[in-house]
Amino acid sequence: MMQGNIWISTNLLGFAQSMTLVLRFQTRPSFGRAIFAHGSSSEPNSNSQFKGLKVILADDDDLNRTVTKKLLEKLGCHVTAVSSGFECLSALSAAENSFQIVLLDLHMPEMDGFEVALRIRKLRSQNWPLIIALTASAEEHVLERCLQIGISGVIRKPVLLQGMADELRRVL
Amino acid sequence: MDVVVQLQRQLADHTASLFHEGFLNEQFNQLQQLQDESNPDFVVEVVSLFFEDSERLLNELAKALEQQAVDYKKVDAHVHQLKGSSSSIGAQRVQGVCIPFRNFCEEQNNEGCLKCLQQVKHEYSLVKNKLETLFKLEQQLIAAGGSFPTL
């Protein structure tokens, strides 16, 4: 009737994440881009829940780092982004910094996420930031290894807003 | 006919076809959701990063596969990177070719790798063109006085 189209895309857990609606109207100028309607209704809550959360993000890939950083900021986090394990450890060692969460890409070239996590655990006995790993892999042994090292959570890449919010909520 | 409405239709149609034909997936939606007033050009910036990254990687791949003694680990590392970045922006078809590409690397299959390289180059240039058209339509729409709500 309206010569339109509607479809729902779901995230990894099967929850409806966004609804796409294409309609043809004559008089509603704001509809041009409304194809990509709002995400889940829990987003506003996430913003306040994670507000001011200090996160350090380590990912060697520029593009991924940019996207993940923006995603975290959207959730209300205060993000420091670095591109290597070394930089991450330096930032954590600096006395004035106190990060609550460390987000580590497991597959960085010089020092991988596992190595960084191990060193973080050795670094500080007082300030224990929660470590969450970022990985494209879904293999069991990766998850096991994470748990053994003291990594509190794992998020699969590519990262989705809802996936990040869920995992952060879970570990906090 | 109102230019704004016409452009909106074009933009809507073009975007819809990108998804229907599998060039983009929901990850691209994700990027658009991250765009807001504080970062109004976020999507364009990220996609530009993707273009730069990809072109560099495709060059590296071509070079690496031309060598007398191909270093398949290196080739695989590049493909892994390309797979990661294409999946981050939702460039589904590019990401898709990376999977068999990596398998060929593991098998050290030179012919397979070269075929995949051609394919991934092809998919990349297709999605690049389509995204550039998308951005152009958006710019035209804004220039014509129309707008689209940033989420």
Side-chain angles (χ1 to χ4, degrees), chain A residues 10 29 33 36 64 160-161, chain B residues 8 29-30 32 88 138 148:
Chain A
T10 56
R33 184 79 123 125
F36 307 105
N64 289 337
L160 292 170
L161 199 74
Chain B
Q8 282 169 345
N29 281 345
Q30 181 76 128
Q32 289 169 317
S88 286
E138 286 179 1
F148 40 91

Side-chain angles (χ1 to χ4, degrees), chain A residues 60-61, chain B residues 53 56-57 76-86:
Chain A
D60 67 302
D61 184 279
Chain B
D53 262 3
R56 177 184 54 89
L57 287 168
D76 184 71
H78 290 321
V79 179
H80 175 74
Q81 251 192 294
L82 185 59
K83 179 164 181 270
S85 54
S86 58

Side-chain angles (χ1 to χ4, degrees), chain B:
Chain B
M1 184 198 243
D2 188 17
V3 160
V4 170
V5 174
Q6 196 177 7
L7 282 169
Q8 282 169 345
R9 277 192 197 184
Q10 268 183 280
L11 181 59
D13 286 346
H14 183 70
T15 314
S17 79
L18 277 172
F19 280 81
H20 276 142
E21 291 167 30
F23 285 104
L24 294 177
N25 63 22
E26 70 174 9
Q27 195 63 25
F28 190 75
N29 281 345
Q30 181 76 128
L31 289 187
Q32 289 169 317
Q33 285 182 26
L34 293 177
Q35 185 162 286
D36 55 27
E37 303 79 46
S38 68
N39 237 150
D41 299 315
F42 183 67
V43 180
V44 173
E45 284 170 9
V46 173
V47 173
S48 305
L49 254 177
F50 170 67
F51 289 160
E52 282 170 29
D53 262 3
S54 303
E55 272 152 45
R56 177 184 54 89
L57 287 168
L58 290 171
N59 279 334
E60 293 293 326
L61 280 168
K63 256 194 286 180
L65 287 168
E66 271 168 24
Q67 302 302 310
Q68 284 278 14
V70 177
D71 182 351
Y72 286 100
K73 279 224 159 93
K74 198 173 179 192
V75 176
D76 184 71
H78 290 321
V79 179
H80 175 74
Q81 251 192 294
L82 185 59
K83 179 164 181 270
S85 54
S86 58
S87 83
S88 286
I89 71 149
Q92 188 170 267
R93 307 226 301 212
V94 173
Q95 181 192 351
V97 180
C98 291
I99 300 169
F101 203 155
R102 292 195 76 190
N103 287 336
F104 284 130
C105 286
E106 222 177 309
E107 293 167 18
Q108 306 208 347
N109 182 330
N110 196 287
E111 199 182 309
C113 284
L114 287 170
K115 278 213 184 101
C116 281
L117 179 59
Q118 284 320 305
Q119 231 185 317
V120 83
K121 270 179 161 169
H122 177 68
E123 289 300 341
Y124 168 71
S125 73
L126 283 176
V127 79
K128 180 171 189 226
N129 277 336
K130 291 186 182 272
L131 283 168
E132 285 175 338
T133 303
L134 182 79
F135 294 144
K136 216 186 305 173
L137 282 171
E138 286 179 1
Q139 282 175 334
Q140 286 175 343
L141 182 58
I142 294 179
S147 65
F148 40 91
T150 46
L151 298 168

Side-chain angles (χ1 to χ4, degrees), chain A residues 123-134:
Chain A
L123 256 187
R124 306 166 80 89
S125 47
Q126 285 177 331
N127 215 323
W128 270 71
L130 290 167
I131 305 179
I132 300 179
L134 290 168

